[in-house]
Amino acid sequence: MIVKTLPPSSQPIQEDSRNGTNRRGELDVIDVVPEDGTNSLVVRSPRLLAAQKVRTTAQPETLYDPVGIAAHYQNRKVQVLRRIFAVLGPTLSFVFGLWSDSKRGIVVKNDRRRATQLRVLLTKLGPAYIKIGQALSTRPDLVPPVYLEELTKLQDQLPPFPNEIAYQFIKEELGAPPEEVYAELSAQPIAAASLGQVYKGKLKTGEEVAIKVQRPDLREGITIDLYILRNLAAWVQKKVKRVRSDLVGILDELGDRIFEEMDYIHEGENAERFFDLYGHMKDIYVPKIYWEYTNRRVLTMEWINGTKLTQTEEISAQGIDARYLIEVGVQCSLRQLLEHGFFHADPHPGNLLATTDGKLAYLDFGMMSEIKPPQRYGLIEAIVHVVNRDFEGLAKDYVKLDFLSPETDLTPIIPAFARVFADAQGASVAELNIKSITDELSALMYEYPFRVPPYYALIIRSLVTLEGIAIYIDPNFKVLSEAYPYVSKRLLTDPAPQLRASLQDLLFKDGRFRWNRLENLLKNARNSQDYDFNLVLNQGIEFLASERGAFIRDKLVDESVNGLDALGKNVLHNFTYLLRKRVGLTAVNETPAATVDQQQTLEHIKRILGILQETRGFDPAQFVPQIAQLLVNSDVQRLGQQIANRFTQKAVARLIRQLLAS
């Protein structure tokens, strides 16, 4: 019989803008077609499983359960000890070999033989250690080139398992042998990774597809490693007082993600959700999932013709700019981490391809994670405070992000933050890279009572991995520099109270408005892909006219009045100067020009107007109709009245002072 996994008819249909087909976020039923031709239905919807008692009771192994795993291995001490020695033995042997080579004068970092041994060792140790090697394979700043080349093979060039086992899994999961399900299937897997291997195939309807089949005995190998590492983490956390981070929580977070990665139905759902959130972005491509041919251990998705981002020569030969695609990836990652919170936690080169038409394709949606809104806003606020050199605010951000407990004394931590970013004094923080900041902060966290929340580990893994690819392509690439336009855009347009407070902190110091900060924000924001003049104008006016914008509005009104006052003084000064010097009316006293502060304010306003004119969406032909439309806006009228009233008050006050003085 053939088993088909179908999307749910009860959920809203989302149309795939690429080919007009339907994409839905979850499954509905399995249409079981026995060999006699009769039909029957079996519920297989991840969203309905709890109610139907299918996955939660029949398939508890799809969820990570550290308590259940501990109970399972508690009476299997011999098996656990055997695994510990299986890991320690070859690891210590390899380390001793490196030490011995160094003593004999061999340059270990250039020894290809040792690099190959490391790759083989990690492969033999299993999926958990393979993932460590994959993470290292993206760090050319940490790993010597010879080792980097070998570790890169861990991304998709691992030893495959026999076809017979893969075909058996396809039959068990889809209800029919491969030749009945697919029109074509490659004779051998075209890639083999830590959790499964991939075949190239073709559906009977003609679409080219990638078929991912899970490795056998995968769960047993991973659970025993997680059990050992979790016990080790608990022991370290208990015995080593300097370790304040929740190591067990971090291991459990990783365990959750790995177990989700072993459930291909969950991965398919992740791909659908990723498409819904980010598939609309320019030059981002997300492959389609074929639910009819997908189940827990078999995933069928659209075949992508592409090249790894690290294969720069091949990409250049196709006329594609690899650096541009990295910029696209950074912008997508920023939206993942700071906007929607649903992010790809494993963006190694094997999962990011340059398509033949110059787009960035994401693959492998097994390891995904989420950041809650408080953490997302907290990260943006932290970036603002770093840029603003506000280390007191940064220390408070770390309390909000759960790195520090609320009762922690921040007094010694504030100058410590200043020391971490001391090398950025006088230069843009964007010139630092994420790895250097992470290293510096790691040392700081060891010295002071920091704790690392579980969600942070996967964020750093994602960012550091992406930065590693970027550095491989362009050693001068700065991820933080590329992030500034997006962060600036969010500060200027996001109505969230947290970000409005951050904008206020950025623009004001000691009650004075800092025009240069606003200039920098506008300059950076206009480079963001989805930043638009009309968007900023409308949202800015709406905010300034609201109660939330009262503080900034009052200060801006004062500054605008100062600018208008300076302009009026300069005009009057020039006019009286002309009368005295050119016309000869010496009886006319020369009016003083604007003060230095007023002149600087006027210059800032001129530069900001110039920046706005160069912003995407500004059209001189449409500007007059836009102004006319704005003038009928009640918020604009109220704001204009405030400026006029304040200007009138100031002018009257100056007139009275002059009369009294005379």
Side-chain angles (χ1 to χ4, degrees):
M1 63 180 181
I2 298 176
V3 182
K4 294 182 178 180
T5 310
L6 303 176
S9 56
S10 60
Q11 293 298 315
I13 298 174
Q14 299 161 347
E15 184 161 309
D16 188 334
S17 59
R18 296 173 301 205
N19 52 24
T21 58
N22 293 332
R23 297 175 65 111
R24 298 179 175 96
E26 52 184 287
L27 315 180
D28 189 13
V29 297
I30 292 178
D31 183 8
V32 182
V33 186
E35 294 176 353
D36 60 4
T38 60
N39 292 335
S40 61
L41 297 178
V42 180
V43 175
R44 184 66 98 194
S45 167
R47 295 287 183 265
L48 303 175
L49 288 174
Q52 300 294 337
K53 305 294 183 184
V54 177
R55 263 173 93 186
T56 52
T57 56
Q59 299 174 353
E61 70 276 12
T62 61
L63 302 174
Y64 174 63
D65 178 14
V67 177
I69 291 172
H72 176 78
Y73 286 110
Q74 199 156 10
N75 298 321
R76 292 172 170 80
K77 298 189 186 305
V78 175
Q79 184 182 357
V80 172
L81 286 172
R82 190 183 299 124
R83 178 57 182 166
I84 291 173
F85 286 122
V87 173
L88 280 180
T91 302
L92 293 176
S93 175
F94 177 75
V95 172
F96 177 78
L98 293 179
W99 177 82
S100 177
D101 286 350
S102 64
K103 289 296 182 183
R104 288 184 290 142
I106 298 175
V107 182
V108 175
K109 68 177 184 179
N110 296 330
D111 190 347
R112 183 170 294 278
R113 178 176 58 90
R114 291 295 184 191
T116 303
Q117 284 181 355
L118 177 60
R119 173 180 58 80
V120 173
L121 171 63
L122 293 174
T123 301
K124 289 181 177 179
L125 291 181
Y129 299 92
I130 290 171
K131 288 194 170 294
I132 294 173
Q134 288 175 342
L136 290 174
S137 73
T138 65
R139 298 305 311 192
D141 52 338
L142 298 178
V143 181
V146 172
Y147 284 77
L148 201 70
E149 186 178 339
E150 284 296 321
L151 292 178
T152 301
K153 297 176 182 178
L154 294 174
Q155 294 164 9
D156 55 11
Q157 297 179 43
L158 294 171
F161 58 89
N163 282 344
E164 292 76 13
I165 297 176
Y167 295 165
Q168 180 63 30
F169 281 4
I170 292 174
K171 183 176 180 180
E172 290 174 2
E173 295 297 312
L174 302 185
E179 60 270 17
E180 294 184 20
V181 178
Y182 303 103
E184 294 179 12
L185 193 68
S186 58
Q188 297 296 329
I190 49 92
S194 56
L195 303 188
Q197 61 192 33
V198 179
Y199 296 84
K200 184 177 182 180
K202 183 179 287 188
L203 300 179
K204 295 184 183 297
T205 49
E207 297 97 328
E208 286 189 331
V209 292
I211 302 109
K212 184 158 72 169
V213 185
Q214 195 172 107
R215 287 185 177 275
D217 304 321
L218 186 61
R219 204 168 306 275
E220 180 70 17
I222 285 178
T223 51
I224 193 169
D225 282 340
L226 287 174
Y227 171 74
I228 293 169
L229 292 172
R230 194 174 190 272
N231 281 329
L232 179 62
W235 183 86
V236 170
Q237 196 169 307
K238 182 178 180 181
K239 298 294 184 182
V240 183
K241 299 302 181 184
R242 294 192 69 89
V243 176
R244 292 170 292 268
S245 299
D246 184 6
L247 298 182
V248 173
I250 292 172
L251 256 298
D252 287 344
E253 176 78 9
L254 180 63
D256 280 334
R257 300 290 82 79
I258 291 178
F259 266 67
E260 288 175 356
E261 196 173 357
M262 289 189 289
D263 182 359
Y264 288 168
I265 291 178
H266 188 79
E267 180 174 345
E269 289 181 294
N270 286 342
E272 294 282 348
R273 185 179 176 191
F274 194 89
F275 172 81
D276 292 338
L277 293 176
Y278 314 113
H280 67 281
M281 290 184 62
K282 182 182 178 182
D283 294 327
I284 291 291
Y285 195 87
V286 183
K288 177 183 176 181
I289 302 297
Y290 291 92
W291 289 110
E292 299 90 337
Y293 310 98
T294 293
N295 216 326
R296 192 166 59 86
R297 293 183 297 176
V298 176
L299 175 70
T300 304
M301 66 191 301
E302 179 184 358
W303 178 264
I304 302 295
N305 289 309
T307 310
K308 288 184 185 179
L309 288 185
T310 49
Q311 295 175 312
T312 52
E313 293 183 2
E314 291 87 338
I315 293 176
S316 297
Q318 301 174 49
I320 299 171
D321 184 356
R323 194 187 191 285
Y324 166 72
L325 291 183
I326 278 293
E327 293 173 5
V328 171
V330 169
Q331 294 302 318
C332 185
S333 291
L334 289 170
R335 282 154 183 79
Q336 292 174 48
L337 293 170
L338 302 178
E339 192 164 329
H340 299 291
F342 183 65
F343 70 97
H344 199 299
D346 195 21
H348 65 70
N351 294 336
L352 295 173
L353 298 182
T355 66
T356 53
D357 58 349
K359 294 184 178 181
L360 178 65
Y362 279 80
L363 307 177
D364 194 349
F365 301 92
M367 185 169 283
M368 309 290 289
S369 191
E370 287 198 64
I371 313 175
K372 301 302 180 186
Q375 281 81 39
R376 298 204 296 268
Y377 290 126
L379 289 171
I380 295 177
E381 289 178 275
I383 293 172
V384 172
H385 287 137
V386 169
V387 174
N388 206 23
R389 311 291 185 196
D390 182 359
F391 300 117
E392 181 179 355
L394 183 63
K396 293 177 181 177
D397 292 333
Y398 270 75
V399 175
K400 294 178 187 176
L401 292 169
D402 204 29
F403 282 83
L404 295 166
S405 61
E407 63 273 9
T408 303
D409 180 13
L410 301 180
T411 306
I413 295 176
I414 294 169
F417 274 132
R419 290 195 301 272
V420 167
F421 296 101
D423 57 348
Q425 294 291 344
S428 171
V429 178
E431 292 305 308
L432 295 174
N433 62 52
I434 293 171
K435 181 64 176 59
S436 65
I437 292 177
T438 302
D439 290 344
E440 294 282 356
L441 290 177
S442 297
L444 190 68
M445 290 176 185
Y446 185 76
E447 185 178 353
Y448 294 96
F450 284 85
R451 58 194 180 195
V452 178
Y455 73 85
Y456 177 74
L458 287 176
I459 294 175
I460 290 301
R461 171 191 167 92
S462 176
L463 284 176
V464 170
T465 300
L466 183 65
E467 185 181 63
I469 301 172
I471 292 173
Y472 188 95
I473 293 173
D474 180 2
N476 296 318
F477 193 97
K478 303 297 181 185
V479 171
L480 289 177
S481 180
E482 295 294 329
Y484 272 169
Y486 171 78
V487 172
S488 299
K489 189 269 297 186
R490 284 291 299 277
L491 282 174
L492 289 169
T493 60
D494 196 309
Q498 299 95 321
L499 297 191
R500 290 307 185 193
S502 294
L503 180 62
Q504 178 177 313
D505 291 342
L506 185 68
L507 295 180
F508 294 94
K509 184 177 183 180
D510 300 327
R512 290 181 60 83
F513 187 82
R514 293 189 286 184
W515 287 98
N516 60 320
R517 294 290 187 186
L518 181 58
E519 283 184 51
N520 290 333
L521 275 178
L522 292 170
K523 283 180 182 177
N524 281 294
R526 70 183 179 187
N527 295 323
S528 183
Q529 291 180 355
D530 50 1
Y531 182 78
D532 185 84
F533 175 81
N534 294 317
L535 174 71
V536 177
L537 189 62
N538 292 330
Q539 291 189 348
I541 289 172
E542 183 274 330
F543 171 67
L544 289 174
S546 68
E547 291 183 8
R548 293 177 290 115
F551 180 81
I552 293 182
R553 178 181 65 237
D554 291 343
K555 295 296 182 181
L556 276 179
V557 167
D558 286 341
E559 294 294 334
S560 299
V561 168
N562 286 336
L564 290 172
D565 192 21
L567 183 62
K569 280 186 175 182
N570 285 342
V571 170
L572 191 57
H573 169 76
N574 293 335
F575 180 69
T576 56
Y577 176 83
L578 183 65
L579 288 176
R580 284 174 58 83
K581 299 298 182 183
R582 297 190 180 182
V583 182
L585 295 177
T586 55
V588 177
N589 293 325
E590 185 177 340
T591 305
T595 64
V596 174
D597 287 343
Q598 289 176 326
Q599 190 64 38
Q600 288 177 344
T601 298
L602 187 59
E603 292 300 321
H604 282 302
I605 293 174
K606 289 179 181 177
R607 285 197 294 269
I608 286 173
L609 290 174
I611 293 170
L612 292 176
Q613 288 176 353
E614 298 171 2
T615 300
R616 185 185 305 109
F618 180 86
D619 183 358
Q622 298 295 324
F623 191 64
V624 173
Q626 287 173 342
I627 291 296
Q629 186 176 0
L630 285 173
L631 288 177
V632 300
N633 186 310
S634 59
D635 293 337
V636 176
Q637 292 174 352
R638 185 160 54 251
L639 191 60
Q641 288 172 359
Q642 290 174 343
I643 294 175
N645 290 339
R646 190 70 60 87
F647 185 73
T648 302
Q649 291 170 8
K650 198 163 186 174
V652 170
R654 185 170 63 247
L655 178 62
I656 292 173
R657 282 197 303 271
Q658 290 175 346
L659 288 173
L660 290 174
S662 62

